[in-house]
Amino acid sequence: MDDSSIASVARVTSDGGASTREFVTKLSHWARDASDNLRMSVAYTSLSVAQSIKARVTSNRYGEPIRVDFLMDRRGYYIYHGASKSYGGLIGSKWKYKGIERTTNPESLGRAGSGKRPAYQFFTEVLDPMMDELSNIVSEYMIENATIALRII
C-alpha cells in the first residue's frame, strides 16, 4: 500500500465515524419525536401509560444503532389489545399471588378487544406515518457507508 492509499483510508475512516455520530443523532431525534407522539395519542386514555412511554436506541459494539425499542407500562399493552378482566389474550398466562399459582380463566381466552375496552392500536396509528422518515434516515446512512466501503476497495 502506498502513502496515498493509507491517507485515503484514514480520511474515509474518520468520515465514517462522523457519519455514525450523525446517524445516531438523527435516529435519537426520530425516536424522541415518536415517543412524544405516542404519549400524546394515548394520554386521553391513560395518563400513567403515556408518562411511562420511553424510547431506547440500542447500539452494537461498534456504536452503530441496531434497534429502537419503545418501553411502556404493561397497562399500555392492555389498551393496545383491548384486554381487561375476563377479556384475555389467546394464550393466557401463569403467575404466583401470595404463593398460590394462578392461571388465566379459560373462558376469557381469545376475547381481547370484544368487551368494554375496545382495542386502541395507538402504536400503529402513530408509527406508520413516521416509517418513511425512519427509512430515509437509515437508507441515507447505509448508502453513505456503502459509498465509503467502495472508496476503500
Side-chain angles (χ1 to χ4, degrees), residues 40-69:
M40 286 188 294
S41 74
V42 78
Y44 79 92
T45 303
S46 173
L47 190 57
S48 63
V49 170
Q51 291 171 341
S52 73
I53 295 175
K54 293 175 180 40
R56 178 177 63 190
V57 178
T58 306
S59 299
N60 63 13
R61 63 182 172 178
Y62 305 110
E64 296 176 320
I66 56 171
R67 182 175 61 230
V68 177
D69 297 319

Side-chain angles (χ1 to χ4, degrees), residues 14-31:
S14 68
D15 289 348
S19 170
T20 301
R21 283 192 300 275
E22 185 179 318
F23 176 54
V24 169
T25 302
K26 285 181 179 180
L27 193 60
S28 296
H29 287 305
W30 181 89

Side-chain angles (χ1 to χ4, degrees), residues 30-130:
W30 181 89
R32 188 190 64 227
D33 291 345
S35 63
D36 289 345
N37 291 345
L38 286 168
R39 278 189 215 104
M40 286 188 294
S41 74
V42 78
Y44 79 92
T45 303
S46 173
L47 190 57
S48 63
V49 170
Q51 291 171 341
S52 73
I53 295 175
K54 293 175 180 40
R56 178 177 63 190
V57 178
T58 306
S59 299
N60 63 13
R61 63 182 172 178
Y62 305 110
E64 296 176 320
I66 56 171
R67 182 175 61 230
V68 177
D69 297 319
F70 293 98
L71 310 170
M72 69 177 159
D73 189 39
R74 67 178 170 175
R75 288 173 291 180
Y77 297 102
Y78 302 153
I79 293 169
Y80 186 79
H81 291 289
S84 61
K85 187 172 182 174
S86 298
Y87 293 89
L90 295 174
I91 299 171
S93 61
K94 293 182 183 180
W95 66 96
K96 283 193 174 188
Y97 179 70
K98 295 185 180 179
I100 301 170
E101 187 170 300
R102 310 269 181 151
T103 60
T104 305
N105 183 352
E107 293 177 10
S108 75
L109 294 177
R111 294 179 61 194
S114 64
K116 295 176 188 173
R117 178 187 283 171
Y120 174 48
Q121 299 185 341
F122 57 96
F123 263 82
T124 308
E125 291 177 7
V126 170
L127 295 182
D128 273 356
M130 297 183 76

